[in-house]
Amino acid sequence: MKNKYMSVSLRPFKYLSPSVHTKGLVFLIVLIPQVVMLFLTRSWNALQVLFCTTAASFAVTGIDCFFEQKRAYDWISALVRALIIGLLIPSDYPLFSVFLVTFSVLLVVTYFLGGFADSWVNPVALTVAVCWMLSAHFFPESLLQTEDLSSKNLSLLFIQNGNIPVMPIDARITSFLNKTVFNLFSVSIPEGFVSLLWDSHSLIPAFRFNLLTLFTSIFLISFDIIGMLIPAIYLVVYCLLVRFVAPVFYGGTVGQGDMLFALLTSGTLFCTVFLLQWYGTMPITLTGKIAYGIISGIAVFLIVGVGDSGVGSVFTILVVNVIVPLIHAIETAAEKRYLNHILLPKVEAFKDGQHA
């Protein structure tokens, strides 16, 4: 008699977190709107840079798949990695250099630094950092003057100086928000902040669409694609330092540092969402994650300062990448100590009790 087989499923079991393949697809989906915005704003140079980074990333993945067993998530991860790199490189960077640097760095990371999820260094941050070291003049310099740093509202000063093009519809949206939303809290926002959130027109595409990046972060955290603990600690520590410590160094009033300016410039939000929790570059334990968030917040304050840095956020990621192996070593030592001094004695005591 012929057996009838039923389909097999994982129910009632469930993954504790989404798979690498699922996360890759979700990251790809949330990065597409960034690319679409570049099309809508006719940022052709930025799109050409994205094409070069994609070609380079695919070339490295193709070589890897030729020599190693092909994995389903490799090509998706390669595309996600390429898009993030391309968004963090200035749109006027030489295209051949973009391809060559991206290809070389990713090849080194793949074959000498551990590859996917095994490398202690973030491949995206390393690629952008190498681009800066080779041709720093293509990255935007800070537009802040020394006397500006003592201002309690850098964002408004930045807008009034013409560094952020104000949209024609900005006044209407600002008036509507002040009447309907901010009026409830007895506060108001000046004209220009909507434009800063919508499109800062930075040479670096990742710095431009802050509102889109903000919605992306909410989406990714809500669906447990990225954890909330590390970004929350990182941003809180950074904002507190900007608010209360930065004015001490710049001759301002303590407690009046511009946190909004710090978050909306230098790609702070973008790097928090897409780089801070890269595979293999963050701690595992709760204590390690808290320490990682605090150290990252301090590092970004020391490197980026109050904001308006072209590459500071990327170097922040590289600095904390160097510290993470030390955190991993401490975590491993703590786990071994817990195993040897607590768990094993309990097991031995349980065995002795059974044989008594």
mmCIF file of all heavy atoms in Angstrom, residues 53 56 102 129 154 164 178 206 239 263:
data_model
loop_
_atom_site.group_PDB
_atom_site.id
_atom_site.type_symbol
_atom_site.label_atom_id
_atom_site.label_comp_id
_atom_site.label_asym_id
_atom_site.label_seq_id
_atom_site.Cartn_x
_atom_site.Cartn_y
_atom_site.Cartn_z
ATOM 1 N N THR A 53 29.200 50.861 -6.756
ATOM 2 C CA THR A 53 29.347 50.060 -5.541
ATOM 3 C C THR A 53 28.623 48.723 -5.665
ATOM 4 O O THR A 53 29.110 47.703 -5.173
ATOM 5 C CB THR A 53 28.810 50.821 -4.317
ATOM 6 O OG1 THR A 53 27.440 51.195 -4.533
ATOM 7 C CG2 THR A 53 29.635 52.068 -4.054
ATOM 8 N N ALA A 56 30.772 46.436 -7.855
ATOM 9 C CA ALA A 56 31.939 45.963 -7.111
ATOM 10 C C ALA A 56 31.550 44.897 -6.084
ATOM 11 O O ALA A 56 32.222 43.869 -5.949
ATOM 12 C CB ALA A 56 32.625 47.138 -6.423
ATOM 13 N N THR A 102 35.848 50.005 -3.431
ATOM 14 C CA THR A 102 34.820 49.097 -2.916
ATOM 15 C C THR A 102 35.198 47.641 -3.175
ATOM 16 O O THR A 102 35.116 46.797 -2.268
ATOM 17 C CB THR A 102 33.453 49.401 -3.560
ATOM 18 O OG1 THR A 102 33.106 50.763 -3.333
ATOM 19 C CG2 THR A 102 32.369 48.506 -2.980
ATOM 20 N N ALA A 129 35.691 54.832 4.830
ATOM 21 C CA ALA A 129 36.867 55.434 5.464
ATOM 22 C C ALA A 129 38.065 55.440 4.516
ATOM 23 O O ALA A 129 38.818 56.423 4.455
ATOM 24 C CB ALA A 129 37.217 54.674 6.742
ATOM 25 N N LEU A 154 21.799 75.788 16.717
ATOM 26 C CA LEU A 154 22.624 75.633 15.525
ATOM 27 C C LEU A 154 21.790 75.309 14.292
ATOM 28 O O LEU A 154 22.118 75.728 13.186
ATOM 29 C CB LEU A 154 23.663 74.526 15.758
ATOM 30 C CG LEU A 154 24.905 74.903 16.566
ATOM 31 C CD1 LEU A 154 25.744 73.668 16.837
ATOM 32 C CD2 LEU A 154 25.716 75.954 15.836
ATOM 33 N N ILE A 164 20.897 75.103 4.126
ATOM 34 C CA ILE A 164 19.805 74.175 3.816
ATOM 35 C C ILE A 164 18.797 74.898 2.928
ATOM 36 O O ILE A 164 18.164 75.861 3.371
ATOM 37 C CB ILE A 164 19.099 73.684 5.100
ATOM 38 C CG1 ILE A 164 20.092 72.990 6.033
ATOM 39 C CG2 ILE A 164 17.952 72.745 4.752
ATOM 40 C CD1 ILE A 164 20.672 71.728 5.488
ATOM 41 N N ASN A 178 2.565 73.985 13.690
ATOM 42 C CA ASN A 178 2.580 74.837 14.883
ATOM 43 C C ASN A 178 1.176 75.042 15.445
ATOM 44 O O ASN A 178 0.989 75.105 16.667
ATOM 45 C CB ASN A 178 3.213 76.189 14.558
ATOM 46 C CG ASN A 178 4.723 76.106 14.433
ATOM 47 O OD1 ASN A 178 5.357 75.251 15.020
ATOM 48 N ND2 ASN A 178 5.297 77.015 13.653
ATOM 49 N N ALA A 206 23.154 59.611 2.100
ATOM 50 C CA ALA A 206 22.669 59.074 3.371
ATOM 51 C C ALA A 206 22.333 60.162 4.372
ATOM 52 O O ALA A 206 21.591 59.928 5.322
ATOM 53 C CB ALA A 206 23.713 58.127 3.965
ATOM 54 N N CYS A 239 23.099 62.560 22.780
ATOM 55 C CA CYS A 239 22.292 63.776 22.920
ATOM 56 C C CYS A 239 22.543 64.473 24.254
ATOM 57 O O CYS A 239 22.601 65.713 24.320
ATOM 58 C CB CYS A 239 20.808 63.435 22.779
ATOM 59 S SG CYS A 239 20.296 63.063 21.085
ATOM 60 N N LEU A 263 21.528 65.257 15.584
ATOM 61 C CA LEU A 263 20.862 64.068 15.044
ATOM 62 C C LEU A 263 20.622 64.163 13.540
ATOM 63 O O LEU A 263 20.628 63.146 12.845
ATOM 64 C CB LEU A 263 19.528 63.846 15.757
ATOM 65 C CG LEU A 263 19.591 63.462 17.237
ATOM 66 C CD1 LEU A 263 18.190 63.348 17.804
ATOM 67 C CD2 LEU A 263 20.351 62.154 17.429
#
